[in-house]
Amino acid sequence: MPTFSLASIKKIYFKNKLKFLELAFLSLFLAFLPSLETPKNIFLAGYLITALYRQSQSPPSKWGIWDWVFLSLIASSFLSALFPFVAGGSEWKGFRGMLLWITFGWTLFRSDYNFDEKKYLFIFAILMTLPPLLWGLTQLLILFTKDSLQLHSVGHVNHSAIYLCMITGAALSLLVSQLQSAQKKYVFITNLLFILLISSVIISQSRGAFGIVFLLAFALLLLSKLPVKIKTLYVVLLSSFVITITFIKPAPVIEKQITNQNNHDILAQRDKIWQKAFEVARLNPLLGIGNGNWNSIKIDQIKSSVESRGEIFDAEKFTMKHPHPHNIYLANLVDRGILGIIIFLNFMVIWLITLIKSYKRFNQDSKGMLFIMGSFSAWTTIFGVGFVNTTFHHENALLALFFLSLHLSYLRQKNQLKLFN
């Protein structure tokens, strides 16, 4: 793991105080990301101002495909705010959110941090999840002031579980990196960290995160270049654990799903939410209703849309009480229309191609694989859990873009960003 003594910090940053300030703002932002809203926003603003100013003082670098990907995400959100179905709603607030998240990822992607600085940030983001996690567990299991596990700033149990799923994947990536290193003095600590985090996802009782976190863990282990004996040991232990909490002594999350099945509600009313989403998407197919305008849609508008096609409206097929579509793909279709979902799927596919090419190029390099596996954890969580929840927003979008941008920054410095040779 990277070590920073006071002497080494003075030596490295004495002549580059602005970079030190930039890293300080970024570190403080990561520290408060899952914990406190106001400090998080203040330090994010400080980081962006400092980083963008410092980058403006450097010679302009060549644009690549990822610059166009980031720009297209901002542009589609801007167009849906400019031409929304529901004018005067929350479309500009929604656009500002998307602009902020993408600008953060784009700025970090173009950073000039060295390997030790990136690794420090990677580890720091994991460790700073622990204070709000331990407090959330205390509230749930000891004080009984909460009925579900929540990270304070992330909020709702499902959203907190999505955050924890990405962090669990990152922690396993760090563990694999330690197992591959010559000095294995942190293996015990990283094992405990992984166990705590994956247990927290289980405790959250989020079914989407539960399924994805285990798929992610198996994928990371199988794709790693660990010695066969170590890889087999971890896969066997993890498999035994999954079988135990699924079939032998079902965990509460499994019992919750069984109860839903017995009540003939396997999807927990998501089918009714998705039915609403498909109908809302018809209101402005090309550019959507505008970011954040989901709650502005009334049942009468859906009724009019259905009846305008000569169909009979059945209110029982729809539910209006949920604040988002519970599906990242439908959320993009609803908010930003056909253009928005095409651009979002393009983002997903290019990210996946980048991961595949990175793995082929760096699978023997434990340094590169740390960032690649962290990025893979974010990709799997966002687009996996995204089938049953809205995953790419607020803290979860920022965290996903953090892991993606560390990966892209590493590739950019290695001159390995070309998707097609």
Side-chain angles (χ1 to χ4, degrees), residues 341-357:
I341 186 63
I342 289 173
I343 288 173
F344 187 73
L345 291 175
N346 179 65
F347 168 56
M348 178 184 76
V349 171
I350 289 178
W351 189 350
L352 179 59
I353 293 171
T354 303
L355 282 166
I356 293 170
K357 289 187 70 67

Side-chain angles (χ1 to χ4, degrees), residues 4-285:
F4 294 96
S5 65
L6 183 60
S8 67
I9 290 174
K10 285 182 178 179
K11 182 179 179 182
I12 296 170
Y13 299 109
F14 182 76
K15 294 182 179 180
N16 200 347
K17 296 182 179 65
L18 202 57
K19 184 177 184 181
F20 178 75
L21 181 63
E22 179 183 319
L23 282 167
F25 275 131
L26 182 53
S27 298
L28 289 166
F29 161 69
L30 292 171
F32 288 105
L33 178 59
S35 301
L36 295 171
E37 194 73 16
T38 301
K40 171 193 72 181
N41 292 330
I42 291 171
F43 292 124
L44 175 57
Y47 165 71
L48 288 175
I49 292 168
T50 309
L52 289 171
Y53 173 76
R54 208 166 67 82
Q55 289 180 22
S56 71
Q57 302 305 300
S58 303
S61 56
K62 184 180 178 181
W63 269 51
I65 190 168
W66 272 103
D67 295 293
W68 292 111
V69 169
F70 288 134
L71 181 61
S72 67
L73 287 167
I74 293 172
S76 71
S77 184
F78 175 75
L79 287 172
S80 70
L82 195 61
F83 303 105
F85 175 78
V86 186
S90 301
E91 62 273 7
W92 287 109
K93 180 181 178 181
F95 167 69
R96 288 195 298 270
M98 181 64 78
L99 176 64
L100 181 66
W101 310 331
I102 300 302
T103 301
F104 167 71
W106 199 351
T107 303
L108 184 57
F109 155 56
R110 286 185 157 265
S111 65
D112 61 352
Y113 307 144
N114 61 39
F115 172 79
D116 282 340
E117 289 164 342
K118 282 196 276 280
K119 186 173 182 180
Y120 151 73
L121 291 168
F122 188 98
I123 296 169
F124 191 74
I126 298 171
L127 295 179
M128 287 302 99
T129 307
L130 296 182
L133 173 59
L134 294 175
W135 175 241
L137 289 169
T138 301
Q139 289 180 304
L140 175 66
L141 303 175
I142 298 175
L143 300 177
F144 306 109
T145 55
K146 294 282 187 181
D147 58 4
S148 60
L149 177 59
Q150 298 181 25
L151 303 177
H152 188 269
S153 184
V154 182
H156 190 275
V157 57
N158 286 335
H159 301 159
S160 293
I162 291 163
Y163 194 101
L164 287 170
C165 188
M166 281 188 275
I167 289 292
T168 301
L172 181 55
S173 304
L174 183 61
L175 171 59
V176 170
S177 175
Q178 285 296 299
L179 289 168
Q180 289 180 309
S181 65
Q183 295 182 335
K184 298 179 173 59
K185 57 182 178 180
Y186 296 107
V187 167
F188 179 71
I189 295 173
T190 48
N191 267 301
L192 287 180
L193 187 60
F194 171 66
I195 291 169
L196 171 63
L197 289 166
I198 200 168
S199 299
S200 299
V201 175
I202 298 168
I203 291 170
S204 75
Q205 296 190 41
S206 171
R207 288 156 295 167
F210 173 84
I212 291 299
V213 79
F214 282 105
L215 287 175
L216 175 59
F218 280 116
L220 289 172
L221 288 170
L222 294 172
L223 290 170
S224 72
K225 292 300 178 180
L226 290 172
V228 174
K229 288 184 179 180
I230 295 178
K231 186 185 294 189
T232 302
L233 174 63
Y234 274 92
V235 169
V236 168
L237 288 173
L238 194 61
S239 300
S240 301
F241 181 60
V242 172
I243 291 170
T244 301
I245 64 173
T246 304
F247 301 107
I248 299 174
K249 187 174 177 57
V253 64
I254 301 297
E255 294 177 342
K256 179 180 177 181
Q257 181 59 25
I258 292 172
T259 300
N260 281 353
Q261 290 176 205
N262 292 338
N263 292 333
H264 307 289
D265 188 20
I266 295 175
L267 294 173
Q269 293 209 335
R270 279 172 171 77
D271 52 335
K272 294 183 178 182
I273 307 171
W274 298 340
Q275 189 71 26
K276 174 190 172 182
F278 282 118
E279 207 57 53
V280 171
R282 292 174 181 266
L283 299 177
N284 191 19

